[in-house]
Amino acid sequence: MAPMTTNNITNIKNCFGCGVCSKICPIKIIDLKLNPEGFYTPFITNNDQCIHCGLCRETCAYINTSTFLKPLKSYAAWSTNDTILHDSSSGGICYMIANKLQTKGYDICAVKFNPIKNRAEHYIAHNNIELQESLGSKYIQSYTIAGFRDINLKKNTLVVGTPCQIDSFRHLIIKRKVEDNFILIDFFCHGIPSWFLWNKYVKELSLGKLKSASWRNKDNGWHDSWLIKAEGEKGEIASSYKKDKDMFYKLFLSDTCLNKPCYISCKYKQTKSAADIRVGDFWGKTYSQNDKGVSIVITYNDKGNNILKELSDCTLKEHPIDICLEGQMSHNPTLPKTRSLIIKELKNKYIPIRYILFRMKISHKFHIFIKRLIKHENKNYNLS
Ligand SMILES: Cc1cc2nc3c(=O)[nH]c(=O)nc-3n(C[C@H](O)[C@H](O)[C@H](O)COP(=O)(O)OP(=O)(O)OC[C@H]3O[C@@H](n4cnc5c(N)ncnc54)[C@H](O)[C@@H]3O)c2cc1C
Ligand code: SF4
Ligand code: SF4
């Protein structure tokens, strides 16, 4: 008998790792695992059981065309509650919306840090105490399987995630004809760094097993909130407050160890979103003097816009979209030639992050030197 054509995710390589294919699989044979570069990748746990229904492929935003709506309205927003504002990454708008929807009976699927597994993961927040764990951005890829599995498609639910996660989720709820039950929020997304960077960083903190971690701490203000605060078995530590002094941020923001699709196949920069609401940090000139935190909020339809109007403990100011986009990336970063070497070094337990940064600096200087030398030689050649 001729082998059946594979109509599942087996042949999809370097995808977003959103895990939505696992949610839709009727046989429940798709899981996510870390690939050798430290990013989640889907795999079939039992090939013999696959019925080749193709549902996993149909929900996948990586291989399917996406439909993006035009922005409806764009705002600056921030919480009037000082504690929420301090603990959030920008203006606390994600939390405010989630909190409001929770009081209206919505389930909330957001992201928390799991210190036992040392990873970010999607989860369902059943009450306000659990919701507080979602506060603040975790700048690592989230493991979605358990959180998405617990979403009841028949219930009203808010889902927050990266634009690629949310795009696949949009495909899923269209396919299942349950779009009306959902509100989806994504954010402007710089990209996700390899889990090996985070793992090495945590080891170098020398705190033993972590109890908690906060990526964007506003103790020194919002504009200098590139401060990681972590608590472990051996105490608490806060990294230096300048982003160029924190090793995690230095490597993450150098764009040298992001997931491959963040360079090659991300289709979500600027306003391109499959969500009802997109949020972000209101960088740029307008709020450069504000040091408590301001969020950008873009709504794409009435559903997204109406929920904002219901927020009582939040300041909302409408701004033209160009002003909101001032500080946001316009293109995907270029895939650097050094990426594989850096990821290899991140996996090597004997190489500290500061060595990787030092080597990068030296090779950059050497590169500039060679370029200047070639330019100089060419000039001499032209003169003679
Ligand atoms: C990897 C990553 C890259 C980002 N890049 C940019 C950028 O380039 N420009 C920009 O303006 N903003 C970016 N953001 C968004 C920004 O950090 C804030 O989340 C945004 O300003 C909203 O702030 P807030 O105060 O409303 O968030 P909060 O109220 O503090 O809520 C944060 C929300 O983000 C969710 N979340 C946290 N970590 C993750 C994760 N790893 N994956 C999925 N969801 C998560 C939480 O569930 C929560 O709902 C990024 C966020 C992440 C996680
Ligand atoms: S649905 Fe997500 S995890 Fe599954 S193949 Fe597509 S991008 Fe990868
Ligand atoms: S940069 Fe794009 S591909 Fe990468 S995690 Fe963000 S949305 Fe997904």
Side-chain angles (χ1 to χ4, degrees):
M1 204 166 73
M4 193 188 269
T5 330
T6 303
N7 192 17
N8 60 29
I9 48 97
T10 309
N11 299 326
I12 302 179
K13 300 283 174 256
N14 297 317
C15 74
F16 301 135
C18 67
V20 177
C21 46
S22 166
K23 170 80 182 161
I24 203 158
C25 172
I27 320 292
K28 301 288 162 235
I29 50 163
I30 304 180
D31 200 352
L32 288 180
K33 65 177 175 196
L34 279 183
N35 68 16
E37 295 189 329
F39 300 98
Y40 289 116
T41 195
F43 71 104
I44 308 275
T45 54
N46 190 337
N47 254 313
D48 297 341
Q49 287 183 3
C50 181
I51 56 168
H52 299 277
C53 61
L55 283 171
C56 52
R57 294 182 68 88
E58 286 167 30
T59 52
C60 173
Y62 181 72
I63 57 165
N64 289 294
T65 313
S66 307
T67 318
F68 301 134
L69 295 176
K70 279 206 171 118
L72 185 66
K73 298 221 177 238
S74 45
Y75 307 88
W78 60 92
S79 170
T80 49
N81 177 320
D82 279 347
T83 313
I84 299 301
L85 192 55
H86 179 270
D87 293 349
S88 63
S89 294
S90 54
I93 193 67
C94 270
Y95 177 84
M96 305 296 291
I97 295 172
N99 193 35
K100 182 75 204 172
L101 289 174
Q102 202 170 46
T103 61
K104 291 176 74 157
Y106 272 67
D107 279 352
I108 310 295
C109 182
V111 174
K112 66 176 177 181
F113 176 59
N114 177 340
I116 297 162
K117 298 207 163 157
N118 195 22
R119 71 183 183 194
E121 54 189 35
H122 273 80
Y123 75 112
I124 306 282
H126 296 103
N127 52 48
N128 186 262
I129 303 287
E130 287 181 8
L131 184 61
Q132 287 172 27
E133 291 188 68
S134 75
L135 266 165
S137 296
K138 292 91 190 163
Y139 290 109
I140 46 176
Q141 189 178 21
S142 68
Y143 177 80
T144 56
I145 299 293
F148 284 179
R149 184 197 53 219
D150 292 347
I151 293 174
N152 180 346
L153 294 179
K154 292 187 184 138
K155 281 191 79 183
N156 283 341
T157 308
L158 165 74
V159 186
V160 187
T162 61
C164 50
Q165 292 168 341
I166 292 300
D167 192 9
S168 287
F169 208 88
R170 173 71 71 193
H171 281 78
L172 172 114
I173 57 177
I174 291 174
K175 189 100 212 129
R176 289 291 188 223
K177 299 190 172 59
V178 289
E179 252 189 309
D180 288 350
N181 296 348
F182 283 84
I183 295 186
L184 307 181
I185 300 185
D186 72 6
F187 39 77
F188 293 97
C189 187
H190 187 100
I192 36 152
S194 166
W195 178 81
F196 292 115
L197 168 60
W198 174 245
N199 187 44
K200 193 178 269 301
Y201 181 84
V202 169
K203 290 223 165 86
E204 289 181 14
L205 290 178
S206 304
L207 294 173
K209 262 211 168 307
L210 284 194
K211 291 181 185 164
S212 66
S214 144
W215 273 256
R216 289 276 301 277
N217 199 282
K218 290 185 183 161
D219 287 354
N220 298 300
W222 168 46
H223 290 279
D224 279 330
S225 59
W226 306 99
L227 162 75
I228 292 183
K229 236 183 180 177
E231 196 194 344
E233 289 161 333
K234 297 182 189 162
E236 201 181 71
I237 214 161
S239 64
S240 169
Y241 76 96
K242 292 269 186 214
K243 78 173 170 219
D244 62 333
K245 294 215 181 112
D246 181 277
M247 306 261 186
F248 174 82
Y249 279 117
K250 225 173 162 179
L251 212 49
F252 168 31
L253 298 175
S254 71
D255 295 334
T256 48
C257 57
L258 303 179
N259 202 2
K260 268 206 188 118
C262 303
Y263 303 100
I264 298 165
S265 20
C266 181
K267 38 185 167 172
Y268 309 104
K269 290 291 180 279
Q270 299 273 296
T271 56
K272 293 185 202 85
S273 167
D276 300 296
I277 300 173
R278 167 162 286 187
V279 300
D281 282 68
F282 210 122
W283 303 130
K285 288 184 227 96
T286 317
Y287 293 98
S288 60
Q289 299 308 311
N290 178 312
D291 226 4
K292 289 190 167 178
V294 180
S295 300
I296 303 171
V297 194
I298 298 176
T299 57
Y300 289 86
N301 49 32
D302 287 337
K303 198 204 268 187
N305 210 48
N306 290 343
I307 183 69
L308 289 186
K309 291 185 196 148
E310 291 181 36
L311 301 178
S312 51
D313 34 10
C314 170
T315 307
L316 204 62
K317 288 190 177 171
E318 203 168 337
H319 286 286
I321 192 82
D322 308 4
I323 301 290
C324 295
L325 295 177
E326 249 175 22
Q328 297 299 335
M329 289 166 89
S330 54
H331 297 99
N332 297 346
T334 310
L335 181 74
K337 287 195 182 94
T338 49
R339 179 177 172 276
S340 332
L341 174 64
I342 287 167
I343 290 181
K344 215 165 144 190
E345 288 174 340
L346 286 171
K347 288 165 77 173
N348 185 327
K349 65 177 178 181
Y350 299 109
I351 300 181
I353 301 177
R354 68 169 189 285
Y355 166 82
I356 303 174
L357 288 168
F358 178 71
R359 194 194 45 68
M360 274 168 58
K361 201 169 157 186
I362 296 290
S363 47
H364 181 67
K365 281 194 173 160
F366 183 67
H367 187 71
I368 291 176
F369 173 74
I370 294 293
K371 260 173 90 174
R372 282 204 186 129
L373 201 69
I374 293 170
K375 211 170 157 190
H376 184 75
E377 285 300 307
N378 284 346
K379 214 165 143 193
N380 284 347
Y381 178 78
N382 286 342
L383 283 175
S384 61

